[in-house]
Every structure is written in C-alpha cells, then in structure tokens.
Amino acid sequence: MKAVYETSAAQAHQLPPMTLPEFAFIGRSNVGKSTLMNAILNHTGLARTSRQPGRTQMANFFRVNEKWYFVDLPGYGFTATGNREHKDWQDLMDGYLVRPVIEKFLFLWDPRRDFDKADYQIGLALSECAPLSLILTKCDKISRMERLQRQKILENAFKSRGIKLASTHAVSSLKKDGIEELREELIGDKDK
Ligand SMILES: Nc1nc2c(ncn2[C@@H]2O[C@H](COP(=O)(O)OP(=O)(O)OP(=O)(O)O)[C@@H](O)[C@H]2O)c(=O)[nH]1
Ligand SMILES: [Mg+2]
C-alpha cells in the first residue's frame, strides 16, 4: 500500500480540488483518529499522533494507492483552545462536509463514553452527507463483554435519533484488532 501526505487545510477556502474519493476520519480530540489511520495504512508516523488532545489542527490529506484520499480531520470538543478555534473548526467542517467526493465518514468513538448533544448533531449532519460508519476505538481498554454491550447501546442511541449507520467496527489500533476488517471494507483486499 502506498500512502503519501499531500496537503493540509486550516480553513475551508484552502481545501484541495476534488479529484478522488475521500474517506474522512472524524471524532473528538484524542479519540485515536491519527493512530487508526496509520494502523490501516500500515505506516507508523504518517499522521502525527499525540497524548495531548488537539494535535491535529488542520484537515490533512493523504493519497492512498493513487485511488483515494484518507482525510484526518481535526478533533472537536477540545475547549481549552477557546472559541476562535471552534469557529475555525466549524468553518472548515461546513466547507468539508458538503464535498460530493466523500465516500464514507468514519466517526470514531471511545465506547466508554456516552454521546452528548453536540455528538448527535455532528452524527446527524454527517449521516445526511455520506454513508456513516461508527468506529469504536481503544477497545483494548474494555472487556469483550463490555464492548458488545456498549456497541448495542451506542448504535441504538444513534438509531433513535434518526442517525443511520452503514456499519459499526470495534478496533484497537494498539493491538491491531479489527483493523484488517475495516481496511477491507474501505479499500478492499487487493489494495493492501
Ligand atoms: N490504548 C490505546 N490507546 C490508543 C489507541 N489508539 C490511540 N491511542 C492513544 O490515544 C492518544 C491519542 O491518539 P491520536 O491518534 O493522536 O488521537 P486523535 O484523535 O488523532 O487526536 P487529535 O488529533 O488531537 O484530535 C495517543 O496517546 C494514542 O497512543 C488504541 O487503540 N488503544
Ligand atoms: Mg490527530
């Protein structure tokens, strides 16, 4: 698999032209977006990761096998950076979400948490723009039983608010659990 960094956008007007289908990774700060992208692409260090929330501040575009873009979107819900950053995030998202080249949104979620109002709003907005997959991250931190229970609760919570899911995956980028299945769903077996 060939993955190369292409460009970044901090604001909507900096978004690159639409030339290939895009898989967009979105979720709260620190949920594991950049780490998951690296795990799927088998490329440690391609997308920058960090213990501190707010590491990824721009939409970063990675070209994969000359066929797709993987887009690492900045995390939301990190209020310590203040309102100005939130406005920038909203502006970038308003510009990004409506791109017709989006093949799928990967909405990453730590299954130990419950959704709040902002998460439902984002989930609904995403599901109305392109197919939406729920990706439960850091599953190495909970038991299999707990994971299954939480998955059902979270799926039902989305469903009851009219948020349609194309699929759900439970993954651990650390242990590489569920990565192969997710990679296959996104880019198929032959393009590894
Ligand atoms: N235990 C465990 N930790 C993980 C896993 N995936 C990511 N992490 C850790 O979670 C932290 C945040 O990971 P990132 O990939 O940087 O998170 P992000 O969503 O890109 O964060 P922002 O760019 O700030 O929005 C890092 O310390 C990772 O090592 C996982 O599967 N298991
Ligand atoms: Mg990141």
Side-chain angles (χ1 to χ4, degrees):
M1 178 146 42
K2 191 179 158 223
V4 288
Y5 166 77
E6 179 139 321
T7 190
S8 300
Q11 290 175 313
H13 70 91
Q14 297 167 336
L15 288 165
M18 297 175 270
T19 54
L20 294 170
E22 296 177 358
F23 293 106
F25 291 65
I26 186 162
R28 284 183 175 267
S29 282
N30 215 41
V31 70
K33 297 178 292 297
S34 302
T35 309
L36 176 64
M37 185 177 292
N38 289 337
I40 295 172
L41 297 175
N42 238 325
H43 205 312
T44 320
L46 186 67
R48 300 269 308 270
T49 64
S50 168
R51 233 173 267 248
Q52 286 171 320
R55 168 78 255 175
T56 310
Q57 303 246 346
M58 297 195 276
N60 296 319
F61 289 72
F62 300 89
R63 203 171 62 244
V64 179
N65 284 4
E66 310 298 336
K67 279 193 187 167
W68 306 275
Y69 282 109
F70 276 27
V71 186
D72 190 11
L73 293 166
Y76 69 93
F78 180 53
T79 50
T81 52
N83 283 335
R84 209 189 74 76
E85 274 79 3
H86 179 74
K87 205 175 147 278
D88 289 348
W89 186 87
Q90 196 62 54
D91 166 74
L92 182 63
M93 287 304 131
D94 289 347
Y96 183 76
L97 298 193
V98 295
R99 281 163 83 86
V101 285
I102 300 169
E103 181 97 358
K104 184 169 271 182
F105 285 113
L106 306 179
F107 185 72
L108 277 66
W109 192 256
D110 185 327
R112 295 168 295 176
R113 292 184 71 136
D114 286 318
F115 299 127
D116 70 19
K117 212 171 139 211
D119 305 310
Y120 288 124
Q121 275 171 0
I122 290 168
L124 191 61
L126 299 177
S127 70
E128 285 170 349
C129 292
L132 173 67
S133 289
L134 178 65
I135 314 294
L136 304 177
T137 61
K138 307 191 186 183
C139 286
D140 51 280
K141 294 198 180 225
I142 53 175
S143 70
R144 188 182 131 78
M145 182 69 101
E146 197 182 344
R147 196 261 290 161
L148 290 169
Q149 284 170 351
R150 293 295 301 158
Q151 179 168 336
K152 209 176 263 172
I153 289 167
L154 294 165
E155 283 176 340
N156 285 336
F158 261 10
K159 209 168 161 190
S160 69
R161 280 158 181 88
I163 302 167
K164 264 204 193 141
L165 288 173
S167 63
T168 306
H169 289 262
V171 301
S172 163
S173 301
L174 192 73
K175 298 209 165 159
K176 305 283 180 275
D177 290 337
I179 302 296
E180 190 63 46
E181 292 84 346
L182 180 55
R183 186 191 294 126
E184 259 176 51
E185 180 178 303
L186 301 183
I187 66 177
D189 209 12
K190 289 185 221 78
D191 265 293
K192 268 192 259 182

